[in-house]
Amino acid sequence: MAVDVAIARPELLQVADAVAREKMIERDEVLEAMEQAIQKAGRAKYGHEKDIRAVIDRRSGEVRLSRWTEVVEQEPVENEATQIPLRIAQKFKPGIKAGEFIIDPLPPIDFGRIAAQTAKQVIVQRVREVERKKQYDEYKDRIGEIINGVVKRTEYGNLMVDLGRAEALLRRDETIPREAFRNGDRVRAYIYDVREEPRGPQIFLSRTHPGFLAKLFAQEVPEIYDGIIEIKAVARDPGSRAKMAVISRDSSIDPVGACVGMRGSRVQAVVQELQGEKIDIIPWSPDNATFVVNALAPAEVTKVVLDDDARRVEVVVPDDQLSLAIGRRGQNVRLASQLTRWDIDILTEAEESERRQEEFRKRTGLFVEALDVDDVIAGLLVTEGFTSIEDIIAVEDEELAGIEGFDESVAAELKRRAEAWLERRDTELDEKRRELGVEDAVAEVGGFTPAQLVALGEKGVKTLDDLADLASDELIEMLGTDSMDEETANAIIMAARQHWFEGEEAAEEAADGDGERA
């Protein structure tokens, strides 16, 4: 068996050790970079198309250079420079099999000036790649941590921060308003993202992220660090005001008091770091209504009405609390909305009372006109919670007759009049739908109400093709957000498109029939 020609280069091991110590990377990774450099030089001498490989002995520093040729079965081979047919290979090495390699030793390379420079570039590039990979591996698991660094330079208002082993970016919009840093200043920030990019790992810092405030409290409050107190949510208007919801897993510990600290020492330490940002610490509650009320503090709330489907909450406050609940430029209600993740509408007691009266008048007028009853009966129906004529049809006779002042005969008559009014209304709407030119097929495919068909006709949706061309959000917008969900809208539109596919199938069947007759 042939033995590779080797040349001892103990200085390579010394260089590898020095580079590994300086860059704080593994010695083997530096030696692999050297092997790649020698391989590149070898290909430049013996042919770039050939498979030239170099190996550095990890103990002696010996460099072995060899050419590898793969043994393949097919003839002719795809690449003559790196492959050899099995039939010919067996002449040189009996018993060799396809998939194995013939390894030919090559004489050592005498590095000229250009070759040495090329090798140096390869080594430097490889070491830099390893260094970047190590930096990325080190910091990718540190997302969500607070880190200290030194401002190295400023680029277009963005700060480049030296973290010791890496460099991070603190964008101008991630700094607290009105705070300024100069070169050499120490800065504390929150790692919110780490990305691996061709030019190296990009570490992104923030001082405005809600997580920065939460981590600062974890450093100041031992109960949070130990997990006794949990921060459930944070909302910030950086540099101005913030709200933080906390809960205690130990009933004997007050979560708000623990975060505030003796004479406000703990919260003041965080406020100082955040350039005077005022922080409202509120108790978190699993009850959404209670949580919303707490989040609007210091404003007082008298009534809360939740709409779970739309995640919308209507809050009623005393007239003199309106400005406090909204806050300067809407800050208080905006932060409360971000904290609770509910859309919050604020009304005063006077506005809510006026709206209730207006709704009462509208519903009373509807019952008076539709059922041909007086204001007293209509008012009783509204007071009992009836909001539409359909409600009267849907309710049981006994429940309707149970209203004070009603009996079975009154209930039966009210239902008869309600059914007659609905029939007249639907007939009128159906006639209007036909006048608008909305096809019967549209009415059949979607299960629309007469009122919805008129609404579609007024929007220009009159044929199946018109309906089929819509997107689900367009259909919902035309009919009202409360009319249906996205899944139902998609099902209706797909049903409207069905006739397109039926037409294609009929055409295909006709074509197949013509082919058979031919």
Side-chain angles (χ1 to χ4, degrees), residues 427-457:
T427 301
E428 292 172 1
L429 289 172
D430 193 53
E431 289 176 359
K432 187 175 181 180
R433 183 263 297 181
R434 295 179 187 279
E435 290 173 4
L436 290 169
V438 180
E439 295 179 350
D440 292 340
V442 175
E444 294 169 1
V445 76
F448 299 112
T449 65
Q452 288 175 334
L453 290 169
V454 171
L456 289 174

Side-chain angles (χ1 to χ4, degrees), residues 175-372:
T175 59
I176 297 172
R178 298 181 301 279
E179 73 177 354
F181 293 97
R182 293 176 296 181
N183 291 353
D185 287 352
R186 295 198 65 80
V187 61
R188 185 155 54 154
Y190 178 85
I191 302 176
Y192 73 92
D193 194 14
V194 178
R195 303 174 195 164
E196 190 171 19
E197 297 184 2
R199 57 181 179 177
Q202 294 295 299
I203 304 167
F204 296 92
L205 305 180
S206 173
R207 286 176 56 81
T208 63
H209 197 284
F212 184 48
L213 184 145
K215 286 295 183 180
L216 287 174
F217 268 100
Q219 291 181 352
E220 297 293 336
V221 183
E223 291 87 348
I224 295 177
Y225 183 82
D226 295 336
I228 300 172
I229 294 175
E230 180 184 357
I231 299 175
K232 299 292 287 187
V234 176
R236 291 183 66 191
D237 191 351
S240 177
R241 191 174 176 186
K243 287 181 180 286
M244 182 175 74
V246 294
I247 186 174
S248 175
R249 302 187 185 281
D250 186 340
S251 58
S252 64
I253 296 178
D254 173 24
V256 176
C259 292
V260 172
M262 186 71 68
R263 297 180 182 177
S265 58
R266 291 175 174 177
V267 71
Q268 281 304 316
V270 177
V271 169
Q272 190 173 4
E273 176 66 35
L274 299 180
Q275 305 297 316
E277 187 173 315
K278 296 178 181 177
I279 303 172
D280 296 338
I281 304 172
I282 65 171
W284 182 85
S285 173
D287 178 66
N288 290 321
T290 304
F291 188 27
V292 170
V293 171
N294 293 343
L296 285 169
E300 298 176 6
V301 176
T302 57
K303 183 180 178 182
V304 175
V305 180
L306 298 175
D307 182 353
D308 291 318
D309 295 333
R311 284 197 68 81
R312 198 170 196 87
V313 57
E314 190 175 275
V315 176
V316 180
V317 299
D319 295 3
D320 61 348
Q321 294 282 307
L322 179 62
S323 59
L324 189 60
I326 294 175
R328 187 179 60 179
R329 298 178 182 174
Q331 185 183 64
N332 191 57
V333 68
R334 183 174 66 252
L335 289 175
S337 181
Q338 293 174 7
L339 189 74
T340 60
R341 297 184 181 179
W342 283 76
D343 292 328
I344 301 175
D345 296 326
I346 297 182
L347 298 174
T348 63
E349 292 176 337
E351 290 172 338
E352 200 252 346
S353 176
E354 183 180 343
R355 193 185 65 176
R356 279 205 314 268
Q357 292 174 8
E358 181 61 27
E359 289 178 354
F360 186 87
R361 284 194 296 270
K362 282 184 179 180
R363 291 171 184 171
T364 301
L366 171 64
F367 291 139
V368 167
E369 180 185 352
L371 304 177
D372 192 21

